[in-house]
Amino acid sequence: MEAENSEVAALVEKITGLHAAISKLPSLSPSPEVDALFTELVAACVPSSPVDVTKLGPEAQEMRQDLIRLCSAAEGLLEAHYSDMLTALDNPLDHLGRFPYFDNYINLSKLEHDLLSGHVAAPAHVAFIGSGPLPFSSLFLATYHLPDTRFDNYDRCSVANGRARKLVGAADEGVRARMAFHTAEVADLTAELGAYDVVFLAALVGMTSEEKADAIAHLGKHMADGAVLVARSAHGARAFLYPVVELDDIGRGGFQVLAVHHPAGDEVFNSFIVARKVKISQEMSA
């Protein structure tokens, strides 16, 4: 236990130092200095760790919340940069591997599909909430795993959607015709949520535990009974990079947890939870 506590203390000290350095950056747009600091941060957070972020002290909790905010801003700028760079090239989809976390998205989409397919038949209609300017998740699912599925991608930023639409415009007609982009906050989606067989909730939709719980409760209120939610989360030290989805919040939102996956290696960064929306009568009798 003493060794474990020392390991956690050393990790928190290292991440606190990286947070301080990142906070002093004049800009979070991609640059050698920005890239180096975030590469070091990811390297510190990806290995398996005994840290439980819920047990951190108030100062460390505050640092973690601000670090997640910084990571979200930097990720958005990174994706916007690469989306613009790729669409400026001939045949943009031939160059997707230039994105530094390309392999993570390839592996994540396969893992999510494999786990999802054990609980639901090939969905006809999928929503991806928080798709961003570089919609790799839905693009890879549509291209490699769900060839007949229609995808509605939602993001609160119209500029991000414009970038995503332009990139996907370079895809084959069979993929392009099945991908739509809409500008909306998750809280603004109501009746349309009832049309989806599966809803993906991106890791950075809901930056705090309260916001994440509110988003899940909203989805549970409006998704169809029997529809499936795939919520991306974080585990261990990776919770310094992304918010954690609490299983209790999944249950309170009206969902039954079907599977939870925590990646062990560095091929995938995010954990994810697969859960089914239960009927009101089932929920009350459970």
Side-chain angles (χ1 to χ4, degrees):
M1 181 63 73
E2 185 176 340
E4 186 175 289
N5 290 340
S6 297
E7 181 183 347
V8 169
L11 175 68
V12 172
E13 182 179 1
K14 180 175 181 60
I15 292 174
T16 300
L18 288 168
H19 168 258
I22 291 168
S23 299
K24 294 174 184 175
L25 291 168
S27 168
L28 294 175
S29 295
S31 70
E33 186 178 12
V34 170
D35 297 348
L37 281 171
F38 279 100
T39 297
E40 188 176 357
L41 176 64
V42 170
C45 293
V46 164
S48 179
S49 168
V51 67
D52 180 349
V53 296
T54 65
K55 297 178 180 178
L56 296 174
E59 190 173 335
Q61 289 282 12
E62 186 176 347
M63 178 274 293
R64 172 181 168 261
Q65 282 301 141
D66 191 58
L67 185 58
I68 290 173
R69 180 189 62 80
L70 291 167
C71 287
S72 175
E75 185 172 311
L77 290 167
L78 181 71
E79 291 190 1
H81 170 78
Y82 275 91
S83 188
D84 289 343
M85 184 192 77
L86 289 166
T87 53
L89 300 172
D90 292 332
N91 303 313
L93 301 192
D94 292 342
H95 304 281
L96 298 183
R98 295 189 182 194
F99 184 65
Y101 302 113
F102 170 82
D103 288 339
N104 173 71
Y105 281 100
I106 285 285
N107 295 328
L108 180 57
S109 64
K110 183 180 187 305
L111 274 173
E112 287 177 329
H113 172 260
D114 289 349
L115 199 57
L116 186 63
S117 63
H119 299 281
V120 63
H125 205 181
V126 167
F128 195 97
I129 300 174
S131 48
L134 204 61
F136 277 178
S137 294
S138 52
L139 179 61
F140 293 159
L141 285 166
T143 303
Y144 302 118
H145 306 294
L146 297 171
D148 299 312
T149 301
R150 290 179 294 134
F151 288 81
D152 281 335
N153 299 278
Y154 292 94
D155 199 278
R156 64 183 182 181
C157 177
S158 61
V159 177
N161 277 329
R163 286 187 164 104
R165 197 176 288 114
K166 188 174 181 181
L167 181 66
V168 171
D172 293 339
E173 173 63 23
V175 172
R176 186 171 67 245
R178 293 184 289 116
M179 298 272 282
F181 295 89
H182 313 277
T183 301
E185 296 272 4
V186 62
D188 295 330
L189 303 176
T190 53
E192 54 265 73
L193 289 170
Y196 300 114
D197 304 300
V198 177
V199 175
F200 284 82
L201 184 66
L204 291 170
V205 176
M207 300 291 289
T208 66
S209 57
E210 293 80 9
E211 290 174 357
K212 188 72 74 174
D214 287 346
I216 291 166
H218 181 80
L219 294 175
K221 183 178 179 181
H222 296 285
M223 284 171 60
D225 292 339
V228 171
L229 171 68
V230 181
R232 291 183 179 171
S233 183
H235 182 69
R238 301 175 196 214
F240 285 100
L241 305 174
Y242 297 102
V244 175
V245 175
E246 299 292 345
L247 294 182
D248 287 347
D249 290 331
I250 295 284
R252 280 191 288 265
F255 296 92
Q256 175 191 7
V257 175
L258 302 176
V260 179
H261 180 79
H262 297 309
D266 61 358
E267 293 86 2
V268 169
F269 300 152
N270 291 113
S271 300
F272 58 91
I273 299 161
V274 179
R276 190 185 304 279
K277 171 69 189 304
V278 296
K279 294 181 180 180
I280 298 297
S281 58
Q282 291 178 327
E283 189 178 350
M284 293 179 65
S285 62

